[in-house]
Amino acid sequence: MQLFRHANSIYGGSDVIIGASYDLLIWFVAAGAAFILFHAVFKAVTGTGGRTSH
Amino acid sequence: MSNSDMTRADSAPTGRVQRHKLIDRIYHWLMALCVLILIVSAFLPIFGWKFAWLDLHWTTGVVLTVAVLFHIIRALFWQNIWAMFIEIRDLQAGKPGKYTAAQKLYHLGVSTLVLAAIGTGLLMLRKIDTPLWKRDPYWFDDSGWGVIYAIHGFAAMALVTMIMIHIYFALRPDEWRLTRSMFRGWITSKEFRDHHDPKRWQAKEEA
């Protein structure tokens, strides 16, 4: 897994960063899913996640 | 908020307390629509769904930029911008004002990411032809453009995480009053009493 996308520079062939690696998107999605899962389980276990009364 | 306002909102059994004005709700949903279009038009082509995404992407980005500028100006001159920054008392026990520390932290995070995406996105507009200007890809050298594209990409991917979390909280039953307030503008007086410190949130009751 790479953090960046690379390419050869148009000015001389050296390796340059051309952007973020989109392979990381799945990890950002996983981080969101992990947070949601952890929070939902925590709320369920502690019993603090019910609907509030109106 | 005057003491009489607090008393009214606190004592009314069936009253409503305005949480978001119409103009702020319109801004929120316009921003949500723009960010959704931007995320979809950015990532679907990367993962193989080919369509003419560029014009949709940059025009939506310009709309988002104008909306965010409007929001910043409104926050600076018509609202209390400091209300969105975390204070020491937000970390202490007790009911929050209008926003909790977590909500302020989320707002700060999304603000940072959106501003990073907008700032880099505006620079990236120099690389495309638009009705207003011709492309000039030589504003930066290729490593400079690479840094700009990297920041834009990381901000976009992090926004995906933030949007997931935002939608999750919006759908939680214990947060439903806040979601409803973003549609209708109000929470009930009981919700106000149960969840907020009237000394810290200068609320006005609706008729």
Side-chain angles (χ1 to χ4, degrees), chain B residues 12-64:
Chain B
T14 58
R16 294 172 179 175
V17 172
Q18 186 179 60
R19 183 171 171 88
H20 302 294
K21 291 183 177 176
L22 178 61
I23 189 70
D24 298 315
R25 284 178 274 151
I26 291 172
Y27 166 74
H28 174 269
W29 291 113
L30 176 63
M31 180 184 177
L33 179 65
C34 287
V35 170
L36 185 65
I37 291 172
L38 287 163
I39 293 288
V40 166
S41 59
F43 289 118
L44 286 188
I46 291 169
F47 294 103
W49 192 341
K50 301 300 181 189
F51 61 97
W53 63 274
L54 183 57
D55 284 344
L56 175 65
H57 192 80
W58 78 259
T59 52
T60 306
V62 170
V63 172
L64 177 65

Side-chain angles (χ1 to χ4, degrees), chain B:
Chain B
M1 179 167 72
S2 68
N3 286 337
S4 60
D5 285 339
M6 277 191 287
T7 304
R8 271 207 320 255
D10 197 41
S11 61
T14 58
R16 294 172 179 175
V17 172
Q18 186 179 60
R19 183 171 171 88
H20 302 294
K21 291 183 177 176
L22 178 61
I23 189 70
D24 298 315
R25 284 178 274 151
I26 291 172
Y27 166 74
H28 174 269
W29 291 113
L30 176 63
M31 180 184 177
L33 179 65
C34 287
V35 170
L36 185 65
I37 291 172
L38 287 163
I39 293 288
V40 166
S41 59
F43 289 118
L44 286 188
I46 291 169
F47 294 103
W49 192 341
K50 301 300 181 189
F51 61 97
W53 63 274
L54 183 57
D55 284 344
L56 175 65
H57 192 80
W58 78 259
T59 52
T60 306
V62 170
V63 172
L64 177 65
T65 302
V66 172
V68 168
L69 275 175
F70 167 81
H71 179 64
I72 291 171
I73 291 170
R74 179 166 158 71
L76 283 173
F77 297 106
W78 281 274
Q79 296 176 310
N80 177 17
I81 195 170
W82 300 109
M84 293 312 301
F85 288 88
I86 295 175
E87 305 168 75
I88 294 295
R89 58 182 175 171
D90 289 324
L91 307 175
Q92 297 168 338
K95 293 177 184 176
K98 186 173 182 179
Y99 299 104
T100 65
Q103 288 166 338
K104 292 179 180 181
L105 185 63
Y106 181 89
H107 180 266
L108 181 64
V110 167
S111 301
T112 302
L113 293 172
V114 167
L115 289 175
I118 284 176
T120 51
L122 290 176
L123 292 173
M124 290 156 75
L125 281 177
R126 289 299 292 165
K127 290 191 78 175
I128 60 172
D129 289 327
T130 74
L132 298 177
W133 60 81
K134 291 294 181 186
R135 67 191 300 263
D136 178 8
Y138 304 107
W139 253 33
F140 299 98
D141 62 14
D142 47 5
S143 60
W145 282 117
V147 172
I148 291 166
Y149 275 70
I151 294 171
H152 197 76
F154 280 120
M157 288 188 285
L159 276 170
V160 171
T161 307
M162 300 295 270
I163 291 166
M164 290 173 66
I165 293 170
H166 188 65
I167 293 173
Y168 161 72
F169 279 111
L171 295 177
R172 282 192 60 83
D174 53 335
E175 304 287 352
W176 179 241
R177 71 187 186 285
L178 302 179
T179 307
R180 185 193 60 221
S181 75
M182 195 50 80
F183 284 102
R184 297 186 176 181
W186 50 265
I187 60 174
T188 66
S189 293
K190 183 177 188 316
E191 290 164 343
F192 177 75
R193 284 195 305 274
D194 290 346
H195 297 280
H196 302 280
D197 181 351
K199 293 175 183 172
R200 298 187 58 196
W201 178 16
Q202 300 182 355
K204 293 179 181 174
E205 186 190 357
E206 287 183 336

